[in-house]
Amino acid sequence: MVHSIADAAKATGVPASTLRYYDKEGLLPNVGRLSGGSRVFSEDDLAWIRVIEHLKKAGLTIKEIARYTDLIQQGDDTLEARRALLYERKEEVEAELARVQGTLDFITYKCWFYDEAVRLGSEEAVRALPDDEVPAEMLAIRKRCLSGPQQ
Amino acid sequence: MVHSIADAAKATGVPASTLRYYDKEGLLPNVGRLSGGSRVFSEDDLAWIRVIEHLKKAGLTIKEIARYTDLIQQGDDTLEARRALLYERKEEVEAELARVQGTLDFITYKCWFYDEAVRLGSEEAVRALPDDEVPAEMLAIRKRCLSGPQQ
DNA sequence: CTAACCATTGAAGCATGCTTCAAGTCAAGT
DNA sequence: ACTTGACTTGAAGCATGCTTCAATGGTTAG
């Protein structure tokens, strides 16, 4: 089963304009053409587009994905290079996960802060709370996110 | 203790050009000025800049931070609006956390795949592995990330 | 006084990742 | 033959978040 660009767009959720852009950037080296010039997408192409979406989510830029695509095109000789590329990215995604967790902590603290502020009627009242009336978890976050008097 | 823009840049790690940009966008409503026009940053301003960095990490755009800044300027009447804004953001950060975890799973699978590919000498050899030679964790991820034959 | 230095401003520029546009091609239907 | 609709292209445009630039001004040391 093969697909037009409109089909491929519908099947993957990626706009046709974006697919053309990917193609132009070298991300879709296996997409075929009809005699008239229209692109033809195979099931494998669609699967590859989904992988591209994953790689984008993993933080790879279009150029990095183009590089990876190129390595794949070169065959099994580049397996180690690809592995290295992915391990590098894995570390970055792990770091990103930790960062997002830290951000969630911060937001969680802020939400608690505003819950208290709304309850007590002012920000000042929350800032004036003695430490023993602040949940230990919130104290810990406040400490981790350091910085003095602020919003 | 007050600071010049260069001091503030050094203390927060945010470039002076960016601090001017933030100021222009309304993110730094409390920054003072010397008679000559130079900005003056207080300790509170520095703390607020650090909060801005957190909010950016939480995915707020400059405009959203400007909005939040404006709410703060309006005082305790806007506590509930601010709380709502933060709870909304909290949900998005939680979703982001789940997304990054999914991405990490995907990358972890890919790393395993390439470890095997390098070990066996080709991608095809990995694809040809019977399911019972694939770790259950990797099978699970492969299933979750669905899609058929691909890179 | 003057040079050096840091600051200011508005405007323009840049990188990324697309999207939109104008102009044209191609295949199918009537 | 002609219209319709989907597709093509290169180029330009857009949104975000800054950065850089050019022109200018205030402060301080010598």
Side-chain angles (χ1 to χ4, degrees):
Chain A
M1 179 99 180
V2 296
H3 310 262
S4 69
I5 194 167
D7 280 2
K10 186 172 291 185
T12 61
V14 178
S17 61
T18 304
L19 293 177
R20 286 194 199 97
Y21 168 67
Y22 286 176
D23 194 10
K24 187 162 59 174
E25 297 300 313
L27 270 56
L28 305 174
N30 298 316
V31 167
R33 296 281 180 150
L34 252 32
S35 58
S38 293
R39 291 174 181 81
V40 179
F41 294 77
S42 67
E43 290 297 337
D44 277 9
D45 291 327
L46 299 192
W48 174 234
I49 291 165
R50 293 187 191 102
V51 173
I52 289 174
E53 296 303 293
H54 275 295
L55 296 174
K56 281 203 308 180
K57 285 185 199 164
L60 277 83
T61 64
I62 298 297
K63 280 192 182 172
E64 287 171 320
I65 300 175
R67 165 87 182 130
Y68 181 65
T69 304
D70 190 52
L71 289 174
I72 290 171
Q73 290 306 107
Q74 290 175 46
D76 289 338
D77 287 354
T78 64
L79 286 174
E80 301 203 14
R82 283 183 260 165
R83 176 170 65 169
L85 191 155
L86 288 168
Y87 267 101
E88 208 174 287
R89 185 56 47 179
K90 187 177 180 219
E91 293 209 352
E92 289 174 37
V93 174
E94 282 166 347
E96 171 75 359
L97 192 68
R99 198 192 63 68
V100 175
Q101 182 59 60
T103 294
L104 183 56
D105 286 350
F106 174 77
I107 291 277
T108 299
Y109 173 77
K110 282 292 187 188
C111 286
W112 168 81
F113 181 95
Y114 278 111
D115 281 343
E116 289 301 293
V118 168
R119 185 172 69 84
L120 300 171
S122 80
E123 286 186 76
E124 274 317 300
V126 187
R127 294 218 182 76
L129 281 177
D131 279 5
D132 63 2
E133 289 184 35
V134 177
E137 193 196 338
M138 299 304 153
L139 277 181
I141 296 172
R142 184 198 278 177
K143 194 172 167 186
R144 268 207 304 286
C145 297
L146 35 100
S147 67
Q150 36 97 343
Q151 308 310 330
Chain B
M1 180 104 180
V2 296
H3 310 262
S4 68
I5 194 167
D7 281 1
K10 186 172 292 187
T12 61
V14 178
S17 60
T18 305
L19 293 177
R20 286 195 200 96
Y21 169 67
Y22 286 176
D23 194 9
K24 188 164 58 175
E25 297 300 312
L27 270 56
L28 304 174
N30 298 315
V31 167
R33 297 281 181 150
L34 252 33
S35 57
S38 292
R39 290 173 183 82
V40 179
F41 294 77
S42 67
E43 290 298 337
D44 277 9
D45 291 328
L46 300 192
W48 173 235
I49 291 164
R50 293 186 192 103
V51 173
I52 290 174
E53 296 304 293
H54 274 294
L55 296 175
K56 282 203 307 180
K57 284 186 200 163
L60 277 83
T61 63
I62 298 297
K63 280 191 182 172
E64 286 170 321
I65 299 174
R67 165 86 181 131
Y68 181 65
T69 305
D70 190 52
L71 288 174
I72 289 171
Q73 290 306 107
Q74 289 175 49
D76 288 338
D77 287 354
T78 63
L79 286 174
E80 300 204 15
R82 284 183 259 165
R83 176 171 64 169
L85 192 154
L86 288 168
Y87 268 102
E88 206 175 289
R89 185 56 46 178
K90 187 178 180 217
E91 293 208 351
E92 289 173 35
V93 174
E94 281 166 348
E96 171 75 1
L97 192 67
R99 200 191 62 69
V100 175
Q101 183 60 60
T103 294
L104 184 56
D105 287 349
F106 174 78
I107 291 276
T108 299
Y109 174 78
K110 282 292 188 186
C111 285
W112 169 81
F113 182 95
Y114 278 111
D115 282 341
E116 290 300 291
V118 168
R119 185 173 68 84
L120 300 171
S122 80
E123 286 185 77
E124 274 317 300
V126 187
R127 294 218 182 77
L129 281 177
D131 278 5
D132 62 2
E133 289 184 35
V134 176
E137 193 196 338
M138 299 304 153
L139 277 181
I141 296 173
R142 186 198 276 176
K143 194 173 168 186
R144 268 207 304 286
C145 297
L146 35 100
S147 66
Q150 37 97 339
Q151 309 308 332

